[in-house]
Amino acid sequence: MNLLEILEGLNVEIREQELLKDYTTLKIGGMVRYMVVPEDVQTATEVVKRLRESSVDFFVLGGGSNLLVPDSGIECVVLLLRGLKNIQILGQAPSVVVYAESGVALQGLVSLAMKQGLSGLEGLVGIPGSLGGAVFGNAGAFGYEIMNVVEEIDILRKGSRMVIKKEDLSYGYRDGGLLEGDVILSTRLRLEVTEPERIKRKMIEYLNIKKQTQPLDEPSAGCVFKNPPGESAGRLIDLAGCKGLTKGDIQVSTKHANFFVNKGQGRAEDFIALMDEVRERVLRIFSIELEPEIRILTKGCTSK
Ligand SMILES: Cc1cc2nc3c(=O)[nH]c(=O)nc-3n(C[C@H](O)[C@H](O)[C@H](O)COP(=O)(O)OP(=O)(O)OC[C@H]3O[C@@H](n4cnc5c(N)ncnc54)[C@H](O)[C@@H]3O)c2cc1C
């Protein structure tokens, strides 16, 4: 059975032959045959159920801001959850619960929190991508992590819908504690009511730091490597003399050594070669093995 038959009768958009470079902040990635774009939680649930029943492999794509996609594209179906974007604020001061669906842009949520005077997301200002991607990878900066404010997550696991409480997840640094293949539908976040001005001041301060230290005007996927315990990956890469190192059109940013930027026609192949070289140099000089922070997708749609 082909995909169109499997999803027959469902009111869901199916895009064909999409270039994934158009869906990633790095502007890298080949073709996918089918991209399914549900507009609500119920449809997404039904799509996942049918794909699982028919043993069709799929990959959940959020904002594509933490991803390296192969130049030759991928063989599975892409499930794009950008249409799931409802937000509701529940409860009253001193703290509220925000229900937000996975496709909500993280920066949309951050600016809503700022306007409404809801504290807890200040350090996430400027991080691109979707809420689903942020929760999956426990995005954070400046001592903030999204999992600090998550209460529970509504997911599909092996086709079954379930709500997982934060206490039941072993999340950590850049890891929301979910399983490979879980589909996050929505999240409830607990935020503290405070003065909007206080939040705004902090966010402006953090944004200014980002602008000064990160190459935000060039395509990238954010930090390439995780910080080793007690160390900064960027500092090690810089000290290993890698700033400005280039493979094809991919360059170790001269502004922030843990960002690799695409200077034009960058390829995943070059990105990986550059990662290998940087990792080897850091290992040789500091005896520290850097681990990727970005998700590297294979053609067969496993990600690591
Ligand atoms: C300029 C720049 C700055 C950045 N700064 C930071 C930073 O300060 N801190 C930080 O932590 N990150 C940072 N990042 C990295 C990135 O923005 C975050 O990791 C972001 O949270 C990824 O979200 P996304 O929606 O783009 O996920 P994607 O890149 O689309 O996907 C990442 C992973 O999450 C999974 N995923 C996405 N949505 C779902 C879902 N609904 N259900 C299940 N799995 C899902 C995908 O399958 C994939 O494995 C930066 C990136 C850029 C380009």
Side-chain angles (χ1 to χ4, degrees), residues 62-76:
S65 64
N66 198 30
L67 269 191
L68 182 65
V69 179
D71 303 309
S72 57
I74 57 174
E75 285 165 348
C76 63

Side-chain angles (χ1 to χ4, degrees), residues 221-266:
C223 286
V224 176
F225 295 105
K226 291 181 180 169
N227 289 323
E231 250 305 348
S232 145
R235 195 183 81 90
L236 296 175
I237 299 168
D238 188 4
L239 290 175
C242 299
K243 262 192 178 166
L245 207 64
T246 301
K247 297 260 183 224
D249 261 0
I250 306 292
Q251 185 183 58
V252 177
S253 164
T254 49
K255 201 166 179 182
H256 189 312
N258 202 14
F259 279 61
F260 293 6
V261 293
N262 181 352
K263 303 301 272 185
Q265 304 303 314

Side-chain angles (χ1 to χ4, degrees), residues 46-70:
E46 184 60 27
V47 167
V48 170
K49 187 170 157 254
R50 292 199 193 180
L51 294 180
R52 288 214 176 271
E53 278 168 5
S54 309
S55 303
V56 174
D57 289 338
F58 64 90
F59 177 78
V60 186
L61 180 63
S65 64
N66 198 30
L67 269 191
L68 182 65
V69 179

Side-chain angles (χ1 to χ4, degrees), residues 25 59-67 81 102 106 126-130 132-134 136 138-141 174 180 182-184 210 214 216 220-223 259 293 295 303:
T25 54
F59 177 78
V60 186
L61 180 63
S65 64
N66 198 30
L67 269 191
L81 294 183
S102 290
L106 184 62
I127 300 180
S130 65
F136 188 82
N138 191 15
R174 297 299 166 267
E180 219 46 61
D182 285 350
V183 179
I184 304 167
K210 287 199 170 222
Q214 299 178 359
L216 300 181
S220 81
C223 286
F259 279 61
E293 176 169 330
R295 312 280 304 175
S303 80

